[in-house]
Amino acid sequence: MRKFFALLMVLSLILTVTACGTTTGSNAPADKSAEMPKIGVAIYKFDDNFMSFVRRAIETSAKGKAELILNDSQNNQSTQNEQVDMMIAKGVKSLAINLVDPQAAPTIIAKAKAANIPVIFFNKEPDASVLKSYDKAWYVGTTSSESGVIQGKIIVDAWKANKDKWDKNGDGKIQYVLLKGEPGHPDAEARTKYAIDEIKAAGIGVEQLELQTGMWDSVKGKELMDAWLAKHGDKIEFVIANNDAMALGAISSLKANGYFTGNKYMPVVGVDAIPDAIQQIKAGTMLGTVLNDAKNQGQATFDLAFNVATGKDVLAGTKWKLDDKKAVRVPYIAITKDNISVAEEAYK
Ligand code: GAL
Ligand code: CA
């Protein structure tokens, strides 16, 4: 009899232990990370001012929803290609890709297609025909030309209001230098063209003193501005930059050359409205910029990547809309001292 009870005790113990071991009941804390889909993200380089804000927005949006595998492609397309292979091998359910080279979209699509994984490109727009070639590919970004048009308008308005002071040689034309972003980048090409077209369309003459690429980079912007000031000095009447990082580099060169003290002034415009640029606008050392909405672009990139990773319609439950090129486009906004709070809000 005692043996029987002992056996019963042992049996019930075993039962309790097994029961505990397999408990997934409602009281047990759910292991969320096990349920969260993996999403593979590649940024063309972490060392890019504006993209660091887009990255932060993606990370914030992903919290508690998805496990991100984040890659710094270090401005090297073959590195990015390997990262994509690696992410696919790790079982990502979708990809969010900020291309290094916009022309490399077909390579990425071929990899995604072979693994039947959807891909959301962002910030560097692939050709529409390439997006069309894969039914599981989309784009999140902006309408590049819009930033050029808006920047041109800021230039026109300010020039008209200050012509007497700013037209130093009194020829009625704007003698400008232009800091271009990465050549071949849709944003750089469109901003360069449309900003100048807008000035011309307003009936203002222009003379290009210099145009070179600063590769979106502040240090390069400063180096170019140093050289241009040494060469042209006061003949320069306007500094037009494809982005804020280069504009900020130009401003530090101008400061080192005695500008922004006394009545020595130079109008400088950029694009992005990153916090450092907002500071310069407030201080009066930068005329204006164009808000490139990092927060909403990051949010939209994640929303789309998450939807397709979980088998939903790409736009399910979001406020975003696709155009006929399978793109979500976040609008740009002109930023000057008058509406600086709009930019501050967007980069909070
Ligand atoms: C642009 C932005 C630049 C740079 C570039 C990278 O939209 O204005 O500052 O970040 O994207 O692709
Ligand atoms: Ca002039």
Side-chain angles (χ1 to χ4, degrees):
M1 205 51 170
R2 272 176 61 190
K3 263 192 178 167
F4 176 67
F5 274 117
L7 196 74
L8 247 179
M9 287 265 294
V10 169
L11 261 177
S12 67
L13 238 167
I14 290 171
L15 274 173
T16 330
V17 168
T18 7
C20 281
T22 55
T23 291
T24 48
S26 51
N27 305 346
D31 182 4
K32 261 202 148 180
S33 65
E35 302 157 16
M36 291 198 298
K38 280 197 190 99
I39 297 178
V41 183
I43 306 277
Y44 95 97
K45 61 171 188 173
F46 278 9
D47 183 23
D48 174 295
N49 242 313
F50 170 72
M51 289 313 299
S52 67
F53 291 98
V54 178
R55 171 158 58 104
R56 206 175 68 186
I58 293 175
E59 287 176 304
T60 309
S61 315
K63 267 194 194 113
K65 289 179 124 183
E67 186 192 326
L68 295 184
I69 302 181
L70 260 174
N71 287 273
D72 177 359
S73 302
Q74 293 169 15
N75 211 19
N76 184 327
Q77 189 59 51
S78 38
T79 302
Q80 183 168 80
N81 295 347
E82 284 163 19
Q83 290 167 338
V84 167
D85 290 337
M86 186 269 299
M87 293 190 284
I88 292 175
K90 279 190 179 167
V92 295
K93 293 281 185 277
S94 69
L95 291 163
I97 305 296
N98 170 213
L99 293 163
V100 176
D101 174 3
Q103 303 301 321
T107 312
I108 305 294
I109 284 186
K111 292 177 188 295
K113 222 177 193 173
N116 195 29
I117 292 172
V119 44
I120 313 296
F121 292 100
F122 63 106
N123 172 260
K124 289 197 197 182
E125 186 168 3
D127 282 341
S129 61
V130 179
L131 275 189
K132 228 176 161 187
S133 73
Y134 185 34
D135 62 342
K136 294 191 179 76
W138 294 269
Y139 176 66
V140 172
T142 60
T143 303
S144 299
S145 58
E146 199 179 280
S147 49
V149 171
I150 293 175
Q151 191 185 51
K153 285 208 169 96
I154 296 175
I155 297 169
V156 167
D157 290 347
W159 179 261
K160 282 185 177 160
N162 297 282
K163 210 164 90 199
D164 295 345
K165 278 177 286 164
W166 292 2
D167 187 10
K168 291 181 213 157
N169 65 352
D171 69 348
K173 292 185 195 166
I174 305 180
Q175 273 71 30
Y176 68 89
V177 295
L178 195 146
L179 288 159
K180 188 174 173 176
E182 183 192 345
H185 189 307
D187 289 349
E189 298 302 334
R191 287 173 193 170
T192 300
K193 177 183 180 335
Y194 287 93
I196 302 302
D197 283 0
E198 193 63 26
I199 303 172
K200 290 182 186 158
I204 300 169
V206 287
E207 187 189 341
Q208 178 187 300
L209 297 181
E210 297 286 349
L211 185 155
Q212 274 189 60
T213 176
M215 296 302 285
W216 305 121
D217 184 73
S218 181
V219 175
K220 293 203 176 72
K222 183 180 181 306
E223 284 167 5
L224 285 170
M225 196 66 221
D226 283 341
W228 295 345
L229 281 171
K231 189 169 160 194
H232 303 284
D234 262 354
K235 290 201 184 81
I236 303 170
E237 295 178 343
F238 228 109
V239 178
I240 305 171
N242 278 176
N243 79 340
D244 286 347
M246 294 186 295
L248 292 167
I251 288 170
S252 66
S253 164
L254 286 161
K255 281 182 181 163
N257 282 277
Y259 283 82
F260 310 117
T261 50
N263 50 16
K264 215 165 149 65
Y265 177 77
M266 179 74 77
V268 180
V269 287
V271 175
D272 286 340
I274 53 173
D276 285 347
I278 296 172
Q279 284 317 111
Q280 299 300 323
I281 295 175
K282 275 186 167 169
T285 47
M286 187 162 167
L287 174 65
T289 187
V290 183
L291 171 65
N292 194 4
D293 191 332
K295 207 198 238 176
N296 273 311
Q297 287 175 59
Q299 172 83 58
T301 300
F302 175 75
D303 286 350
L304 270 59
F306 180 70
N307 271 339
V308 292
T310 48
K312 292 193 201 104
D313 178 80
V314 69
L315 297 180
T318 72
K319 60 178 176 186
W320 314 113
K321 288 191 176 66
L322 288 172
D323 69 4
D324 59 349
K325 289 182 174 150
K326 300 208 285 172
V328 170
R329 300 187 194 273
V330 177
Y332 285 107
I333 304 171
I335 300 292
T336 57
K337 227 172 186 169
D338 303 333
N339 67 341
I340 205 85
S341 58
V342 174
E344 281 172 325
E345 195 53 40
Y347 275 88
K348 243 183 199 161

